[in-house]
Amino acid sequence: MKHTNYLLGAILAFFCFAACEDMEETYDEYAGDGPIRYLAKCTDVEALSGWERLTVKWKNHLDPNRNGIWINCTSELYQFDTLVGPSDTVCDIRGLKDATYTVKVAAVSEQGDTSVVQDVDVVTGRPYTLEHEAVRGYTRGFSKSFFLKDNLVLFTSRKTADMVKFTINYTRKSDGMPEEYDLTANMSKTNLRIEDIDLSKDIVLHRLGKLEGCADTIPFPEYKITENRTPLADFETYLLERYGWTSIDYNVTELDLDYDLESLEDLLYFPNLKTVNLDKNRYYSVADPAQQVYSIRPSELTGGYSMETRRDFCIELLQEVNPELKINAYGFGYNLPYGVEPYFAIFDEGLESVTATNTYPELPTLTYLDTEGMTVTARKYSEEIATSLSETDRVNLFDDDPETMWSPVADANNDITELVIDLGEEKIVSGLTFIQADVNNYIQNMIPVNVTVEVSSDNRTWTNPLYTSTVMLGNNAGEVKLMEFPDGAQKIRYVRLTVSDVYYDASAGTAIGSIRVFE
């Protein structure tokens, strides 16, 4: 019985010893000459990214034989080895180039032996450097910059806690002296104007900031501020349709703006502007469109309230820089302030350069082709065969009366409709008019927003007679779109118009008031 108790005690002692050794992360391996004792390894290794450095952290375990800690940091091109004290748990490896480094940490004995490093304890890290994409893509603190006479205009970004200090260094135009502007101190203003700048000299942005997960304040590269002309996409598209500008002429003195835009901010790219016409090229077939309140859908700044504020800022600044600037607002104008009467007034009274009028543009006198003998076929893209319009539909389409519209039956399918007008023979054509249907029921929500125009002499080869194949349409009932061929009259026989259905209230459809072709 005593022998049994002795054996049990020996076994328990063995397991207790093994457990203690495991807690200290040490172990013995038996070889031919006796046990080999390994050092306690370093665990929970981390490699934290900093500015041109990695901060390596680890956890030590009890081991009286540890004489130091060895840190190995390697990449394909670089290798760093560092030895620190036996009780250290953190080490900065500085002066690192851009690379992904493999980091190993091991305990070292006085004899130079190292603890075992297992794969689970090996980590990787990449320092922040000038080549790091997060550094190269760091915010400038503004989304757009404009040069306007001796003014630098900035549309600022939202300030965050990571933006420590941004300053702009420039030369004053008045006396040639250097000046510094604290950008971060003024970023509560979304539209900034810095005056008295010599735009012929360098304007340099300096940035101190932080990146997520990086404890260091980073001196980001200097950025030379230039007027990088990047107009909004809808503004650029509209100028292409209106003027045919594949490359915008920023030196013009007059601009026409007629349809919805996200903002009017890109007017600041035009330092020589003297006249801006709003809605000058939107025409109405009804006698007094101002009385048809239900149909009024003004041109809008679709960017919302902030864009309305930016609108006024831009107009005021342009007016100051160019005292001769005039804004002629025809019809409804852009994004009426709430409660303003009459509804064709657009800007605050303080903007003296704005002339608002209730005189709508008059459609130029046009000589329309006789519709006798003209035929029209219609086809939805979901159908294979085009069908000829009935005589009643044909007359309604050509009668200049937007109330007698042509409108296929609406259904749940959103489709595209193609109309082909056969003039009967080749004729000289200078353009056409597209009149929106004049209705006051739900169909007014289905009038098309744009139309694609093509012409042909043989019904096989089609060309685009306008600057762009697709043009915007006014969204008011009875509104007329005048489409003059910019290259002059052409000899054609066929006109093809393509419109997309507009989805409204669980159904999709289209409605066209009238189409006329003129010499």
Side-chain angles (χ1 to χ4, degrees), residues 50-250:
W51 179 244
E52 297 181 344
R53 67 168 178 158
L54 289 176
T55 298
V56 183
K57 295 183 177 182
W58 63 92
K59 182 178 179 182
N60 289 327
H61 295 273
L62 180 63
D63 194 326
N65 294 319
R66 185 172 60 245
N67 192 55
I69 304 293
W70 170 69
I71 299 100
N72 174 255
C73 182
T74 61
S75 69
E76 291 184 355
L77 299 177
Y78 309 103
Q79 176 167 325
F80 298 86
D81 288 285
T82 303
L83 188 66
V84 297
S87 60
D88 289 348
T89 58
V90 61
C91 176
D92 278 337
I93 304 176
R94 300 180 180 274
L96 297 180
K97 303 296 184 181
D98 182 50
T100 298
Y101 294 87
T102 299
V103 179
K104 301 177 183 178
V105 180
V108 181
S109 70
E110 188 174 355
Q111 293 76 27
D113 298 325
T114 60
S115 61
V116 175
V117 179
Q118 297 177 314
D119 289 343
V120 71
D121 299 318
V122 177
V123 297
T124 60
R126 182 186 175 193
Y128 289 109
T129 65
L130 292 176
E131 290 76 26
H132 198 291
E133 59 275 6
V135 174
R136 290 188 283 109
Y138 190 67
T139 180
R140 300 190 301 268
F142 57 88
S143 58
K144 262 186 174 181
S145 57
F146 301 86
F147 289 176
L148 198 62
K149 297 299 171 70
D150 59 351
N151 296 273
L152 170 63
V153 179
L154 302 175
F155 293 162
T156 63
S157 308
R158 183 177 63 87
K159 187 179 183 302
T160 66
D162 292 336
M163 300 164 67
V164 177
K165 188 170 185 179
F166 289 16
T167 57
I168 297 174
N169 290 87
Y170 62 93
T171 303
R172 292 198 300 259
K173 185 177 181 179
S174 58
D175 57 13
M177 297 299 293
E179 185 64 85
E180 182 176 272
Y181 181 86
D182 190 338
L183 180 61
T184 42
N186 290 278
M187 288 182 66
S188 59
K189 306 172 186 176
T190 57
N191 311 314
L192 283 179
R193 173 190 181 187
I194 309 175
E195 303 177 62
D196 190 23
I197 294 184
D198 186 346
L199 298 177
S200 67
K201 304 289 181 62
D202 285 351
I203 306 172
V204 180
L205 171 68
H206 300 271
R207 297 168 293 169
L208 289 176
K210 294 186 176 182
L211 289 170
E212 185 177 358
C214 177
D216 296 329
T217 297
I218 297 174
F220 289 92
E222 293 182 354
Y223 177 82
K224 183 178 178 181
I225 299 176
T226 60
E227 186 178 44
N228 183 15
R229 289 172 173 167
T230 53
L232 296 171
D234 60 351
F235 187 82
E236 193 169 26
T237 298
Y238 171 75
L239 294 183
L240 173 60
E241 177 191 321
R242 174 75 183 127
Y243 299 105
W245 291 344
T246 54
S247 176
I248 296 177
D249 183 359
Y250 292 104

Side-chain angles (χ1 to χ4, degrees), residues 335-467:
N335 217 29
L336 316 183
Y338 179 75
V340 170
E341 294 292 345
Y343 36 70
F344 50 79
I346 62 165
F347 293 110
D348 296 335
E349 294 180 0
L351 297 176
E352 298 176 357
S353 63
V354 177
T355 301
T357 174
N358 60 355
T359 302
Y360 295 86
E362 292 186 9
L363 190 68
T365 301
L366 304 170
T367 303
Y368 292 113
L369 297 182
D370 187 355
T371 60
E372 186 67 31
M374 290 186 186
T375 60
V376 184
T377 59
R379 180 181 72 88
K380 287 186 176 290
Y381 274 20
S382 59
E383 302 170 350
E384 295 183 4
I385 301 175
T387 58
S388 297
L389 264 61
S390 68
E391 179 61 17
T392 299
D393 286 339
R394 189 190 75 86
V395 170
N396 287 342
L397 196 62
F398 291 149
D399 64 2
D400 276 342
D401 183 355
E403 292 185 0
T404 58
M405 62 183 176
W406 175 76
S407 179
V409 176
D411 56 34
N413 298 318
N414 208 343
D415 212 333
I416 297 175
T417 300
E418 178 185 279
L419 289 172
V420 177
I421 302 173
D422 182 356
L423 306 180
E425 60 183 11
E426 284 191 322
K427 296 183 179 181
I428 301 298
V429 174
S430 297
L432 63 149
T433 57
F434 186 107
I435 306 178
Q436 297 281 29
D438 185 14
V439 290
N440 61 1
N441 56 27
Y442 74 96
I443 295 179
Q444 69 175 296
N445 297 289
M446 294 181 177
I447 60 177
V449 296
N450 53 52
V451 59
T452 298
V453 181
E454 299 166 287
V455 297
S456 174
S457 293
D458 56 12
N459 203 19
R460 290 190 298 273
T461 302
W462 297 89
T463 59
N464 169 31
L466 305 172
Y467 287 130

